[in-house]
Each structure stands twice: as structure tokens, then as C-alpha cells.
Amino acid sequence: MILTVTLNAALDLTYRVPRLRPRGTHRVTEVSERPGGKGLNVSRVLAALGHATVATGFAGGGTGEALRAMLAQDTGVTDALVPIGAATRRTVAVVDTAGGDTTQLNEPGPTVTPAEWDAFLTRYRELLDGAQAVALCGSLPPGVPVDVYARLTRTARAAGVPVLLDTSGEPLRRGLAARPDLAKPNAAELASLTGHNEPLRAARDARRRGAHTVVASLGADGMLAVTADGSWQAAPPRRIAGNPTGAGDSAVAGLLSALVEGASWPDRLARAVALSAATVRAEGAGEFDRATYEELLGEVTVTDGPAAA
């Protein structure tokens, strides 16, 4: 079983409009709702890949109830979310169907009380028993300590469970110090963390801060992995048009699924890049176009580089 943690889950709303104009009034042509938050997206992709997955975190209020009802309809995802009193946040994506661009609006999230946090910690420790890996994903809601990912990483490592960390800002900086097995920032998050704009240099710097391996998302250019044994870069054979929302979460699912299967680093990166690109082609986060994934998987180019400094 692969465990995912989404402390700031969301009900994702997607509006499609013919063309998005600032300060204009728009007629929405299509509306969709999905359970959201990075870890939940990861679990949904893992389930589609055939892996048993459990999703934990927080859910509350009417939006939390709606999220859990939708998650119950998802194939293969076990709901282990902890109920809270405040309402789960919403995120709104506005898709300009003419230009293909997406504008994202993210609410901050509910305030978590100390008692609710203690309940989560109890659930988390229980779920680690039997987990093959755990993914700690996304932003933090109000009321949660900024060093929470460092704490959760140490707890998982003490239980012998590999940890993937996918967050940004101060939670990322503190989380790295707890030595997660894998950190997966994007290029902008790496640059903000390290001050280096060159991805290989930035990934090496992030690895020296504590992560055993750093995998950087490079957008349409693929992914870069820096490990103790070497570095690899994987790139899709061509650019895929569509909505990039959730592409990074699918990449995390690819990395995790390949990890528990014992795949090599080149194979892990190829799977992650193919899934990421296939998500751009899909309708929304937590989904991927299977035909595109299977087509691209054998076409991803993986090149190796020097060992990590």
C-alpha cells in the first residue's frame, strides 16, 4: 500500500470559458468538480495504475463531505481523511479554451485545531504500519506547524517507510533537513530555495540540505534526478498541448509506483515524465490519458550525467 498525505485537501472546480478576458463577464460553457489537493491527485493516479493506495489528511464542512463522496466513487482509493470542524477549501481553475491557458484561484484552507492535529498524528502512525512508501504533499492549512513535514518525515523513516516530499517554501526547507528519501520540487521552487536558476546546480544544493535524492520538474522539458549514484534527465519526445494542472502530481505517482516496484532510476523518470505529459492531455488533475501515457512511455529520452557532488 502507498500512503499519501494531503493536509490541505480541496474540492477542485474547473470552469471552461471560450476566452478569458480581464475585467470581463464570462459565460461558462462547462463546469466540473473533483476531489483535489496534491496527495489526493497522486492517490487517484496510483489507483489507476493498479496500486493500492490510502489517502489521509483533513476534510471538513460541506465541501469536505462533497470531496469524500466523490472520493468514494474513485476506483481503488481508500479514504482515511480525518474529519475537522472547519470547511475544506475550494480551488477554482478557469480554462481559456481558445488559448489553452489556465488561471488558478486557491483558497487558503481551514484552520486545524490542536485536537484535530493530534487525531491526525494518531491516524498517520497507524497507517504507516504496512505502507510501502508515503508521499507528503502540498501546502499547509492554518494551524499546522510549519515544520510539520520534517516531523512526519522523521516518523515515517523511524518506521522504515520511504518518504517522498512534494511541497515548497519554508515547509520544503525544513522538510529537507529531516532527510526524506526523495524531494520533488519544480524548477521555480528549487530556485527559490537555493538561489540557483540552473536546475542541476540547484538540485545538487537541495540534496546537500538533506534529501537523499532530488527530482526536479522542468515543465515541458521533463525531469531531472540527482542521486548519490548519478544524475539523469528525462524529456518527452514532443510538447503536449492541454491543461498542465496536476501534471506534477502524476509525476509523483509515477515515481512512487516505480519505487515500490524496484525499477531503475531511468525507468522511474521515464514513467514519471510519460504520466505527467499524459495528464496535460487529460480533463483534469488526478487523471491521465492512458493511450498517451502508453504511447509516450517508450519514447521518453533519458540521458545520464555525473554522480552527485
Side-chain angles (χ1 to χ4, degrees), residues 120-264:
F120 167 78
L121 287 178
T122 299
R123 177 74 56 86
Y124 178 68
R125 294 187 187 103
E126 294 170 348
L127 291 170
L128 287 174
D129 184 17
Q132 297 169 284
V134 58
L136 308 175
C137 302
S139 61
L140 303 181
V144 171
V146 72
D147 66 344
V148 61
Y149 285 139
R151 300 185 194 182
L152 297 181
T153 296
R154 294 188 187 101
T155 301
R157 288 180 56 79
V161 179
V163 179
L164 185 152
L165 177 62
D166 183 14
T167 187
S168 60
E170 188 66 10
L172 173 62
R173 186 183 72 80
R174 298 203 186 195
L176 289 178
R179 300 187 61 77
D181 297 86
L182 172 60
K184 197 217 70 67
N186 60 36
E189 292 162 349
L190 263 184
S192 177
L193 173 75
T194 66
H196 304 309
N197 290 318
E198 200 283 311
L200 179 59
R201 183 180 180 186
R204 285 174 168 169
D205 186 323
R207 187 174 175 276
R208 285 192 290 269
R209 294 168 187 252
H212 290 268
T213 294
V214 174
V215 175
S217 294
L218 307 178
D221 294 325
M223 304 187 77
L224 167 70
V226 176
T227 80
D229 301 319
S231 60
W232 291 268
Q233 184 163 347
R238 56 190 175 276
R239 291 182 179 267
I240 304 296
N243 180 4
T245 304
D249 304 332
S250 291
V252 168
L255 293 170
L256 283 171
S257 62
L259 166 68
V260 301
E261 293 171 19
S264 67

Side-chain angles (χ1 to χ4, degrees), residues 7-55:
L7 298 177
N8 208 10
L11 181 64
D12 286 348
L13 307 177
T14 300
Y15 296 153
R16 295 183 180 274
V17 299
R19 186 178 299 277
L20 184 62
R21 300 181 304 277
R23 299 177 299 278
T25 298
H26 300 80
R27 184 177 297 279
V28 177
T29 58
E30 181 182 343
V31 179
S32 62
E33 294 184 331
R34 293 178 176 85
K38 294 178 73 64
L40 292 181
N41 293 336
V42 172
S43 272
R44 292 172 62 209
V45 174
L46 284 169
L49 291 171
H51 283 269
T53 179
V54 175

Side-chain angles (χ1 to χ4, degrees), residues 18-131:
R19 186 178 299 277
L20 184 62
R21 300 181 304 277
R23 299 177 299 278
T25 298
H26 300 80
R27 184 177 297 279
V28 177
T29 58
E30 181 182 343
V31 179
S32 62
E33 294 184 331
R34 293 178 176 85
K38 294 178 73 64
L40 292 181
N41 293 336
V42 172
S43 272
R44 292 172 62 209
V45 174
L46 284 169
L49 291 171
H51 283 269
T53 179
V54 175
T56 190
F58 298 109
T63 50
E65 291 177 3
L67 182 153
R68 299 186 80 163
M70 294 177 191
L71 195 62
Q73 299 170 5
D74 249 11
T75 56
V77 179
T78 299
D79 176 359
L81 295 167
V82 175
I84 58 175
T88 295
R89 67 184 178 134
R90 295 161 298 181
T91 68
V92 179
V94 183
V95 179
D96 182 326
T97 55
D101 294 328
T102 300
T103 299
Q104 193 80 16
L105 303 173
N106 296 335
E107 296 179 359
T111 297
V112 177
T113 68
E116 290 164 347
W117 175 243
D118 287 344
F120 167 78
L121 287 178
T122 299
R123 177 74 56 86
Y124 178 68
R125 294 187 187 103
E126 294 170 348
L127 291 170
L128 287 174
D129 184 17

